[in-house]
Amino acid sequence: MDLLKQKVEADGVVIDEKILKVDGFLNHQIDAKLMHSVGQTFYEQFKETGITKILTIEASGIAPAIMAAMHFDVPCLFAKKAKPSTLTKEAYQADIHSFTKNTTSTVIVAKEFLGAHDRVLIIDDFLANGDASLGLNEIVQQAQATTVGVGIVVEKSFQPGRERLEQAGLKVSSLCKVASLSGNKVTFVGEEV
Ligand code: G4P
């Protein structure tokens, strides 16, 4: 997606060889128009697949996920990282380890919002090691629903996320693929020298 690539080039800040900061349009301040286009692109890619629900994880997955949900005209469901006191009914849960933060959190989704009839598109902001998407897929499996695919805004292709998701049988669609963050600059897949 050219617009997204241009935004990463213009506003992305390389923190180190593994982390790209995109607080200006995705992780802190959100570019709503760009997210609208992101949602539309996921819709174009998956519109023939009978998606009934978009599933993401709080917080940064919500912006692209809700825009996708708007285009598909289906609900956007997000996994919560802490059990809220208002959640009184049964919930699915999965443990997700974050290599970036070196923490493990249990994420939950209320059973009433996901069922065996659902065809789910998982959406997340970043794909690094794939743990978040694998955890969400585990929740989809617990619900006996179907994961149709995984839509990612920024894939770091030098990390094993895609390989791990594909090994799990998941179709992965990334809108922007970063090949490297070496030399304090972003190099996209297909533009390596
Ligand atoms: P994984 O899900 O692919 O395994 O990734 P990882 O454990 O490394 O990611 C943990 C968190 O860090 C996730 O957000 C993920 O979106 C984010 N992240 C991973 N790599 C980068 C990066 O290069 N840049 C930025 N900006 N974020 C990255 P999270 O902890 O769920 O945070 P949030 O959604 O509440 O913002």
Side-chain angles (χ1 to χ4, degrees), residues 57 79-81 92-99 103-109 130-139 142 164:
I57 184 168
K80 297 196 176 205
K81 287 179 180 164
Y92 305 112
Q93 60 181 61
D95 288 335
I96 296 182
H97 180 73
S98 165
F99 281 99
T103 54
T104 297
S105 51
T106 303
V107 302
I108 59 163
V109 166
D131 286 295
S133 297
L134 287 169
L136 292 177
N137 184 50
E138 205 180 304
I139 283 175
Q142 286 171 27
R164 292 181 69 211

PDB file of all heavy atoms in Angstrom, residues 57 79-81 92-99 103-109 130-139 142 164:
ATOM      1  N   ILE A  57      -6.581  -6.930  19.103  1.00  0.00           N
ATOM      2  CA  ILE A  57      -6.200  -6.887  20.511  1.00  0.00           C
ATOM      3  C   ILE A  57      -5.963  -5.426  20.881  1.00  0.00           C
ATOM      4  O   ILE A  57      -5.437  -4.652  20.071  1.00  0.00           O
ATOM      5  CB  ILE A  57      -4.962  -7.785  20.727  1.00  0.00           C
ATOM      6  CG1 ILE A  57      -4.552  -7.863  22.177  1.00  0.00           C
ATOM      7  CG2 ILE A  57      -3.796  -7.363  19.883  1.00  0.00           C
ATOM      8  CD1 ILE A  57      -3.531  -8.971  22.439  1.00  0.00           C
ATOM      9  N   ALA A  79      -9.716  -8.243  21.886  1.00  0.00           N
ATOM     10  CA  ALA A  79      -9.337  -8.981  23.090  1.00  0.00           C
ATOM     11  C   ALA A  79      -8.836  -7.977  24.113  1.00  0.00           C
ATOM     12  O   ALA A  79      -8.116  -7.036  23.771  1.00  0.00           O
ATOM     13  CB  ALA A  79      -8.263 -10.002  22.742  1.00  0.00           C
ATOM     14  N   LYS A  80      -9.211  -8.211  25.361  1.00  0.00           N
ATOM     15  CA  LYS A  80      -8.799  -7.313  26.441  1.00  0.00           C
ATOM     16  C   LYS A  80      -7.599  -7.912  27.162  1.00  0.00           C
ATOM     17  O   LYS A  80      -7.515  -9.123  27.345  1.00  0.00           O
ATOM     18  CB  LYS A  80      -9.952  -7.111  27.424  1.00  0.00           C
ATOM     19  CG  LYS A  80     -11.159  -6.441  26.776  1.00  0.00           C
ATOM     20  CD  LYS A  80     -12.107  -5.900  27.819  1.00  0.00           C
ATOM     21  CE  LYS A  80     -13.253  -5.159  27.151  1.00  0.00           C
ATOM     22  NZ  LYS A  80     -13.849  -4.152  28.018  1.00  0.00           N
ATOM     23  N   LYS A  81      -6.717  -7.029  27.583  1.00  0.00           N
ATOM     24  CA  LYS A  81      -5.493  -7.499  28.234  1.00  0.00           C
ATOM     25  C   LYS A  81      -5.656  -7.673  29.744  1.00  0.00           C
ATOM     26  O   LYS A  81      -4.783  -8.213  30.391  1.00  0.00           O
ATOM     27  CB  LYS A  81      -4.352  -6.526  27.949  1.00  0.00           C
ATOM     28  CG  LYS A  81      -3.852  -6.629  26.522  1.00  0.00           C
ATOM     29  CD  LYS A  81      -2.752  -5.643  26.262  1.00  0.00           C
ATOM     30  CE  LYS A  81      -2.262  -5.770  24.834  1.00  0.00           C
ATOM     31  NZ  LYS A  81      -1.480  -4.614  24.428  1.00  0.00           N
ATOM     32  N   TYR A  92     -13.228 -16.687  26.672  1.00  0.00           N
ATOM     33  CA  TYR A  92     -12.094 -17.444  26.113  1.00  0.00           C
ATOM     34  C   TYR A  92     -10.848 -16.703  26.548  1.00  0.00           C
ATOM     35  O   TYR A  92     -10.855 -15.476  26.689  1.00  0.00           O
ATOM     36  CB  TYR A  92     -12.144 -17.452  24.587  1.00  0.00           C
ATOM     37  CG  TYR A  92     -13.433 -17.973  24.005  1.00  0.00           C
ATOM     38  CD1 TYR A  92     -14.300 -17.130  23.321  1.00  0.00           C
ATOM     39  CD2 TYR A  92     -13.768 -19.316  24.121  1.00  0.00           C
ATOM     40  CE1 TYR A  92     -15.484 -17.605  22.779  1.00  0.00           C
ATOM     41  CE2 TYR A  92     -14.955 -19.798  23.583  1.00  0.00           C
ATOM     42  CZ  TYR A  92     -15.806 -18.942  22.917  1.00  0.00           C
ATOM     43  OH  TYR A  92     -16.971 -19.415  22.387  1.00  0.00           O
ATOM     44  N   GLN A  93      -9.746 -17.438  26.705  1.00  0.00           N
ATOM     45  CA  GLN A  93      -8.517 -16.724  27.039  1.00  0.00           C
ATOM     46  C   GLN A  93      -7.283 -17.394  26.462  1.00  0.00           C
ATOM     47  O   GLN A  93      -7.277 -18.599  26.184  1.00  0.00           O
ATOM     48  CB  GLN A  93      -8.386 -16.528  28.545  1.00  0.00           C
ATOM     49  CG  GLN A  93      -8.354 -17.789  29.378  1.00  0.00           C
ATOM     50  CD  GLN A  93      -8.237 -17.424  30.853  1.00  0.00           C
ATOM     51  OE1 GLN A  93      -9.114 -16.755  31.402  1.00  0.00           O
ATOM     52  NE2 GLN A  93      -7.153 -17.841  31.493  1.00  0.00           N
ATOM     53  N   ALA A  94      -6.250 -16.580  26.231  1.00  0.00           N
ATOM     54  CA  ALA A  94      -4.984 -17.103  25.710  1.00  0.00           C
ATOM     55  C   ALA A  94      -3.840 -16.300  26.318  1.00  0.00           C
ATOM     56  O   ALA A  94      -3.993 -15.107  26.589  1.00  0.00           O
ATOM     57  CB  ALA A  94      -4.962 -16.981  24.185  1.00  0.00           C
ATOM     58  N   ASP A  95      -2.720 -16.975  26.535  1.00  0.00           N
ATOM     59  CA  ASP A  95      -1.531 -16.277  27.044  1.00  0.00           C
ATOM     60  C   ASP A  95      -0.698 -15.802  25.870  1.00  0.00           C
ATOM     61  O   ASP A  95      -0.383 -16.575  24.965  1.00  0.00           O
ATOM     62  CB  ASP A  95      -0.680 -17.215  27.916  1.00  0.00           C
ATOM     63  CG  ASP A  95      -1.353 -17.498  29.244  1.00  0.00           C
ATOM     64  OD1 ASP A  95      -2.163 -16.657  29.687  1.00  0.00           O
ATOM     65  OD2 ASP A  95      -1.082 -18.566  29.828  1.00  0.00           O
ATOM     66  N   ILE A  96      -0.365 -14.530  25.875  1.00  0.00           N
ATOM     67  CA  ILE A  96       0.436 -13.963  24.785  1.00  0.00           C
ATOM     68  C   ILE A  96       1.723 -13.396  25.355  1.00  0.00           C
ATOM     69  O   ILE A  96       1.699 -12.530  26.233  1.00  0.00           O
ATOM     70  CB  ILE A  96      -0.356 -12.866  24.034  1.00  0.00           C
ATOM     71  CG1 ILE A  96      -1.576 -13.502  23.355  1.00  0.00           C
ATOM     72  CG2 ILE A  96       0.541 -12.162  23.011  1.00  0.00           C
ATOM     73  CD1 ILE A  96      -2.410 -12.539  22.534  1.00  0.00           C
ATOM     74  N   HIS A  97       2.831 -13.920  24.826  1.00  0.00           N
ATOM     75  CA  HIS A  97       4.127 -13.411  25.278  1.00  0.00           C
ATOM     76  C   HIS A  97       4.592 -12.307  24.336  1.00  0.00           C
ATOM     77  O   HIS A  97       4.531 -12.450  23.118  1.00  0.00           O
ATOM     78  CB  HIS A  97       5.165 -14.529  25.315  1.00  0.00           C
ATOM     79  CG  HIS A  97       6.507 -14.042  25.774  1.00  0.00           C
ATOM     80  ND1 HIS A  97       6.756 -13.719  27.088  1.00  0.00           N
ATOM     81  CD2 HIS A  97       7.645 -13.778  25.099  1.00  0.00           C
ATOM     82  CE1 HIS A  97       7.991 -13.281  27.201  1.00  0.00           C
ATOM     83  NE2 HIS A  97       8.564 -13.306  26.007  1.00  0.00           N
ATOM     84  N   SER A  98       5.037 -11.216  24.904  1.00  0.00           N
ATOM     85  CA  SER A  98       5.591 -10.148  24.079  1.00  0.00           C
ATOM     86  C   SER A  98       7.105 -10.162  24.199  1.00  0.00           C
ATOM     87  O   SER A  98       7.653  -9.921  25.279  1.00  0.00           O
ATOM     88  CB  SER A  98       5.056  -8.796  24.547  1.00  0.00           C
ATOM     89  OG  SER A  98       5.862  -7.777  23.978  1.00  0.00           O
ATOM     90  N   PHE A  99       7.766 -10.477  23.074  1.00  0.00           N
ATOM     91  CA  PHE A  99       9.233 -10.460  23.078  1.00  0.00           C
ATOM     92  C   PHE A  99       9.731  -9.023  23.187  1.00  0.00           C
ATOM     93  O   PHE A  99      10.745  -8.751  23.801  1.00  0.00           O
ATOM     94  CB  PHE A  99       9.788 -11.116  21.812  1.00  0.00           C
ATOM     95  CG  PHE A  99       9.753 -12.608  21.877  1.00  0.00           C
ATOM     96  CD1 PHE A  99       8.731 -13.317  21.267  1.00  0.00           C
ATOM     97  CD2 PHE A  99      10.719 -13.318  22.559  1.00  0.00           C
ATOM     98  CE1 PHE A  99       8.671 -14.698  21.332  1.00  0.00           C
ATOM     99  CE2 PHE A  99      10.669 -14.693  22.639  1.00  0.00           C
ATOM    100  CZ  PHE A  99       9.648 -15.401  22.024  1.00  0.00           C
ATOM    101  N   THR A 103       7.065  -9.571  28.414  1.00  0.00           N
ATOM    102  CA  THR A 103       5.992  -9.812  29.387  1.00  0.00           C
ATOM    103  C   THR A 103       5.024 -10.830  28.783  1.00  0.00           C
ATOM    104  O   THR A 103       4.951 -10.975  27.558  1.00  0.00           O
ATOM    105  CB  THR A 103       5.175  -8.527  29.663  1.00  0.00           C
ATOM    106  OG1 THR A 103       4.711  -8.007  28.394  1.00  0.00           O
ATOM    107  CG2 THR A 103       5.995  -7.465  30.370  1.00  0.00           C
ATOM    108  N   THR A 104       4.302 -11.523  29.661  1.00  0.00           N
ATOM    109  CA  THR A 104       3.251 -12.415  29.163  1.00  0.00           C
ATOM    110  C   THR A 104       1.933 -11.918  29.739  1.00  0.00           C
ATOM    111  O   THR A 104       1.835 -11.676  30.939  1.00  0.00           O
ATOM    112  CB  THR A 104       3.491 -13.866  29.625  1.00  0.00           C
ATOM    113  OG1 THR A 104       4.720 -14.309  29.068  1.00  0.00           O
ATOM    114  CG2 THR A 104       2.384 -14.793  29.135  1.00  0.00           C
ATOM    115  N   SER A 105       0.968 -11.742  28.861  1.00  0.00           N
ATOM    116  CA  SER A 105      -0.328 -11.314  29.384  1.00  0.00           C
ATOM    117  C   SER A 105      -1.415 -12.264  28.904  1.00  0.00           C
ATOM    118  O   SER A 105      -1.339 -12.835  27.819  1.00  0.00           O
ATOM    119  CB  SER A 105      -0.637  -9.874  28.968  1.00  0.00           C
ATOM    120  OG  SER A 105      -0.477  -9.734  27.591  1.00  0.00           O
ATOM    121  N   THR A 106      -2.403 -12.434  29.770  1.00  0.00           N
ATOM    122  CA  THR A 106      -3.545 -13.265  29.420  1.00  0.00           C
ATOM    123  C   THR A 106      -4.590 -12.349  28.804  1.00  0.00           C
ATOM    124  O   THR A 106      -4.982 -11.361  29.422  1.00  0.00           O
ATOM    125  CB  THR A 106      -4.123 -13.932  30.687  1.00  0.00           C
ATOM    126  OG1 THR A 106      -3.077 -14.687  31.297  1.00  0.00           O
ATOM    127  CG2 THR A 106      -5.266 -14.863  30.337  1.00  0.00           C
ATOM    128  N   VAL A 107      -4.972 -12.657  27.567  1.00  0.00           N
ATOM    129  CA  VAL A 107      -5.991 -11.823  26.929  1.00  0.00           C
ATOM    130  C   VAL A 107      -7.314 -12.581  26.909  1.00  0.00           C
ATOM    131  O   VAL A 107      -7.328 -13.817  26.845  1.00  0.00           O
ATOM    132  CB  VAL A 107      -5.581 -11.385  25.497  1.00  0.00           C
ATOM    133  CG1 VAL A 107      -4.275 -10.618  25.528  1.00  0.00           C
ATOM    134  CG2 VAL A 107      -5.514 -12.545  24.544  1.00  0.00           C
ATOM    135  N   ILE A 108      -8.390 -11.819  26.991  1.00  0.00           N
ATOM    136  CA  ILE A 108      -9.691 -12.481  27.081  1.00  0.00           C
ATOM    137  C   ILE A 108     -10.714 -11.883  26.115  1.00  0.00           C
ATOM    138  O   ILE A 108     -10.656 -10.709  25.757  1.00  0.00           O
ATOM    139  CB  ILE A 108     -10.260 -12.438  28.513  1.00  0.00           C
ATOM    140  CG1 ILE A 108     -10.422 -10.988  28.968  1.00  0.00           C
ATOM    141  CG2 ILE A 108      -9.392 -13.161  29.510  1.00  0.00           C
ATOM    142  CD1 ILE A 108     -11.335 -10.909  30.141  1.00  0.00           C
ATOM    143  N   VAL A 109     -11.624 -12.754  25.717  1.00  0.00           N
ATOM    144  CA  VAL A 109     -12.748 -12.355  24.853  1.00  0.00           C
ATOM    145  C   VAL A 109     -14.000 -13.026  25.420  1.00  0.00           C
ATOM    146  O   VAL A 109     -13.988 -14.247  25.665  1.00  0.00           O
ATOM    147  CB  VAL A 109     -12.512 -12.829  23.392  1.00  0.00           C
ATOM    148  CG1 VAL A 109     -13.786 -12.746  22.579  1.00  0.00           C
ATOM    149  CG2 VAL A 109     -11.413 -12.010  22.727  1.00  0.00           C
ATOM    150  N   GLY A 130       4.756 -12.751  15.944  1.00  0.00           N
ATOM    151  CA  GLY A 130       3.492 -13.421  15.633  1.00  0.00           C
ATOM    152  C   GLY A 130       2.694 -13.882  16.836  1.00  0.00           C
ATOM    153  O   GLY A 130       1.625 -14.477  16.682  1.00  0.00           O
ATOM    154  N   ASP A 131       3.186 -13.605  18.033  1.00  0.00           N
ATOM    155  CA  ASP A 131       2.511 -14.143  19.217  1.00  0.00           C
ATOM    156  C   ASP A 131       1.103 -13.599  19.410  1.00  0.00           C
ATOM    157  O   ASP A 131       0.207 -14.337  19.821  1.00  0.00           O
ATOM    158  CB  ASP A 131       3.353 -13.892  20.464  1.00  0.00           C
ATOM    159  CG  ASP A 131       4.541 -14.823  20.503  1.00  0.00           C
ATOM    160  OD1 ASP A 131       4.321 -16.042  20.619  1.00  0.00           O
ATOM    161  OD2 ASP A 131       5.671 -14.355  20.361  1.00  0.00           O
ATOM    162  N   ALA A 132       0.923 -12.315  19.121  1.00  0.00           N
ATOM    163  CA  ALA A 132      -0.406 -11.730  19.317  1.00  0.00           C
ATOM    164  C   ALA A 132      -1.415 -12.424  18.390  1.00  0.00           C
ATOM    165  O   ALA A 132      -2.474 -12.872  18.841  1.00  0.00           O
ATOM    166  CB  ALA A 132      -0.365 -10.232  19.044  1.00  0.00           C
ATOM    167  N   SER A 133      -1.063 -12.547  17.115  1.00  0.00           N
ATOM    168  CA  SER A 133      -2.001 -13.170  16.160  1.00  0.00           C
ATOM    169  C   SER A 133      -2.218 -14.652  16.471  1.00  0.00           C
ATOM    170  O   SER A 133      -3.332 -15.162  16.345  1.00  0.00           O
ATOM    171  CB  SER A 133      -1.478 -13.019  14.733  1.00  0.00           C
ATOM    172  OG  SER A 133      -1.420 -11.658  14.398  1.00  0.00           O
ATOM    173  N   LEU A 134      -1.161 -15.336  16.901  1.00  0.00           N
ATOM    174  CA  LEU A 134      -1.318 -16.757  17.257  1.00  0.00           C
ATOM    175  C   LEU A 134      -2.235 -16.907  18.474  1.00  0.00           C
ATOM    176  O   LEU A 134      -3.059 -17.816  18.531  1.00  0.00           O
ATOM    177  CB  LEU A 134       0.053 -17.400  17.523  1.00  0.00           C
ATOM    178  CG  LEU A 134       0.902 -17.653  16.266  1.00  0.00           C
ATOM    179  CD1 LEU A 134       2.336 -18.035  16.644  1.00  0.00           C
ATOM    180  CD2 LEU A 134       0.288 -18.743  15.386  1.00  0.00           C
ATOM    181  N   GLY A 135      -2.103 -15.986  19.427  1.00  0.00           N
ATOM    182  CA  GLY A 135      -2.976 -16.006  20.606  1.00  0.00           C
ATOM    183  C   GLY A 135      -4.425 -15.752  20.227  1.00  0.00           C
ATOM    184  O   GLY A 135      -5.338 -16.418  20.716  1.00  0.00           O
ATOM    185  N   LEU A 136      -4.631 -14.808  19.311  1.00  0.00           N
ATOM    186  CA  LEU A 136      -6.004 -14.519  18.865  1.00  0.00           C
ATOM    187  C   LEU A 136      -6.569 -15.716  18.101  1.00  0.00           C
ATOM    188  O   LEU A 136      -7.749 -16.061  18.246  1.00  0.00           O
ATOM    189  CB  LEU A 136      -6.029 -13.257  17.993  1.00  0.00           C
ATOM    190  CG  LEU A 136      -5.716 -11.943  18.723  1.00  0.00           C
ATOM    191  CD1 LEU A 136      -5.688 -10.767  17.740  1.00  0.00           C
ATOM    192  CD2 LEU A 136      -6.722 -11.664  19.834  1.00  0.00           C
ATOM    193  N   ASN A 137      -5.721 -16.369  17.308  1.00  0.00           N
ATOM    194  CA  ASN A 137      -6.167 -17.557  16.573  1.00  0.00           C
ATOM    195  C   ASN A 137      -6.557 -18.673  17.539  1.00  0.00           C
ATOM    196  O   ASN A 137      -7.505 -19.420  17.287  1.00  0.00           O
ATOM    197  CB  ASN A 137      -5.060 -18.018  15.622  1.00  0.00           C
ATOM    198  CG  ASN A 137      -5.489 -19.187  14.762  1.00  0.00           C
ATOM    199  OD1 ASN A 137      -6.552 -19.159  14.136  1.00  0.00           O
ATOM    200  ND2 ASN A 137      -4.693 -20.250  14.749  1.00  0.00           N
ATOM    201  N   GLU A 138      -5.826 -18.759  18.653  1.00  0.00           N
ATOM    202  CA  GLU A 138      -6.156 -19.763  19.673  1.00  0.00           C
ATOM    203  C   GLU A 138      -7.559 -19.499  20.235  1.00  0.00           C
ATOM    204  O   GLU A 138      -8.336 -20.431  20.456  1.00  0.00           O
ATOM    205  CB  GLU A 138      -5.121 -19.630  20.788  1.00  0.00           C
ATOM    206  CG  GLU A 138      -4.901 -20.887  21.592  1.00  0.00           C
ATOM    207  CD  GLU A 138      -3.852 -20.621  22.662  1.00  0.00           C
ATOM    208  OE1 GLU A 138      -2.724 -20.199  22.314  1.00  0.00           O
ATOM    209  OE2 GLU A 138      -4.178 -20.799  23.855  1.00  0.00           O
ATOM    210  N   ILE A 139      -7.878 -18.227  20.429  1.00  0.00           N
ATOM    211  CA  ILE A 139      -9.203 -17.860  20.938  1.00  0.00           C
ATOM    212  C   ILE A 139     -10.287 -18.222  19.907  1.00  0.00           C
ATOM    213  O   ILE A 139     -11.335 -18.751  20.246  1.00  0.00           O
ATOM    214  CB  ILE A 139      -9.231 -16.361  21.322  1.00  0.00           C
ATOM    215  CG1 ILE A 139      -8.516 -16.213  22.676  1.00  0.00           C
ATOM    216  CG2 ILE A 139     -10.646 -15.798  21.367  1.00  0.00           C
ATOM    217  CD1 ILE A 139      -8.342 -14.811  23.169  1.00  0.00           C
ATOM    218  N   GLN A 142     -10.827 -21.867  20.171  1.00  0.00           N
ATOM    219  CA  GLN A 142     -11.618 -22.205  21.365  1.00  0.00           C
ATOM    220  C   GLN A 142     -13.108 -22.003  21.096  1.00  0.00           C
ATOM    221  O   GLN A 142     -13.944 -22.743  21.594  1.00  0.00           O
ATOM    222  CB  GLN A 142     -11.195 -21.339  22.549  1.00  0.00           C
ATOM    223  CG  GLN A 142      -9.849 -21.718  23.152  1.00  0.00           C
ATOM    224  CD  GLN A 142      -9.374 -20.694  24.188  1.00  0.00           C
ATOM    225  OE1 GLN A 142     -10.167 -20.002  24.825  1.00  0.00           O
ATOM    226  NE2 GLN A 142      -8.071 -20.588  24.353  1.00  0.00           N
ATOM    227  N   ARG A 164       5.822 -18.171  11.282  1.00  0.00           N
ATOM    228  CA  ARG A 164       5.112 -18.896  12.339  1.00  0.00           C
ATOM    229  C   ARG A 164       3.610 -18.943  12.062  1.00  0.00           C
ATOM    230  O   ARG A 164       2.961 -19.959  12.286  1.00  0.00           O
ATOM    231  CB  ARG A 164       5.399 -18.252  13.695  1.00  0.00           C
ATOM    232  CG  ARG A 164       6.849 -18.443  14.128  1.00  0.00           C
ATOM    233  CD  ARG A 164       7.111 -17.825  15.478  1.00  0.00           C
ATOM    234  NE  ARG A 164       6.446 -18.522  16.556  1.00  0.00           N
ATOM    235  CZ  ARG A 164       6.004 -17.945  17.677  1.00  0.00           C
ATOM    236  NH1 ARG A 164       6.165 -16.638  17.835  1.00  0.00           N
ATOM    237  NH2 ARG A 164       5.419 -18.634  18.619  1.00  0.00           N
TER     238      ARG A 164
END
